[in-house]
Structures are given as C-alpha cells and as structure tokens.
Amino acid sequence: MSTVTPLVVVARWRVAEEQLDAVLALVAQLSMRSRAEPGCLGYDVMQGIDEPTTLVLVERYADRAALDAHLNSEHYQGLGCCGLSRLMANSHSNCPHDGQLAM
C-alpha cells in the first residue's frame, strides 16, 4: 500500500511598497481560485506586521499532480506568472517549478 504525502509550497515575497495594493489584489484573486482547485488542501496568505511589504504564502496540495495542475492552471499562468511576477521586488519559494520561481 503506497502513501501519498501532501506537498507544501512556502513562498516569501518582498513587494515594492508602491506595488503592494496591486499585489494584494492579485493575491486575493489567485488564492480564491486556487482554493477551488480539487487538489488544493489549503492556500494561506500572510502579511508581515512590522514589514507589511513582506508576504508569505503557504500552499498545500494533495500530491504532485495537484501541484502540477495548479501551476498549469489558467489563473496561475495569468495571475501568478504574468501578473504577480512583474510586480515583485524579490521572491523566494521552495516550489520545484521549472525555474519560474526563485529557489
């Protein structure tokens, strides 16, 4: 009997202050749509209290197939890759996605 371990992606984003409102709006859309994915077990967005331009996202997926489906989804490709990446000052993620996110 094989056991599938859920995957967790932790992304830490530093956002330019002048882009913060735009990033928060896009993250709200992305998190709502991501939570509706069948393999998404959770998608939490946290904002620093002392450093409000620092965001931490904790995403949980049932398995690699669910993460791959998320990374290839229309909303991730549009909001995440194209929308958010243009606005980021500096980002770090443990997501193993073909170089699109900094490791």
Side-chain angles (χ1 to χ4, degrees):
M1 181 162 97
S2 80
T3 304
V4 176
T5 303
L7 296 178
V8 177
V9 175
V10 178
R12 182 177 181 272
W13 295 347
R14 177 125 177 133
V15 180
E17 190 171 342
E18 64 273 7
Q19 300 295 339
L20 185 58
D21 289 340
V23 168
L24 290 173
L26 286 174
V27 167
Q29 291 179 51
L30 182 60
S31 64
M32 180 184 67
R33 293 179 185 177
S34 297
R35 285 185 191 112
E37 296 170 12
C40 181
L41 304 175
Y43 198 107
D44 300 313
V45 179
M46 293 158 270
Q47 185 175 13
I49 294 171
D50 294 332
E51 294 183 39
T53 58
T54 297
L55 303 178
V56 175
L57 282 69
V58 179
E59 308 169 37
R60 296 181 309 280
Y61 299 94
D63 53 26
R64 181 62 205 212
L67 174 58
D68 288 342
H70 168 70
L71 295 173
N72 291 305
S73 69
E74 185 176 326
H75 58 269
Y76 177 81
Q77 291 296 316
L79 296 171
C81 289
C82 296
L84 288 169
S85 63
R86 289 181 291 115
L87 301 174
M88 292 298 148
N90 186 12
S91 64
H92 299 283
S93 171
N94 70 343
C95 179
H97 181 57
D98 69 2
Q100 298 225 1
L101 298 175
M103 300 286 278

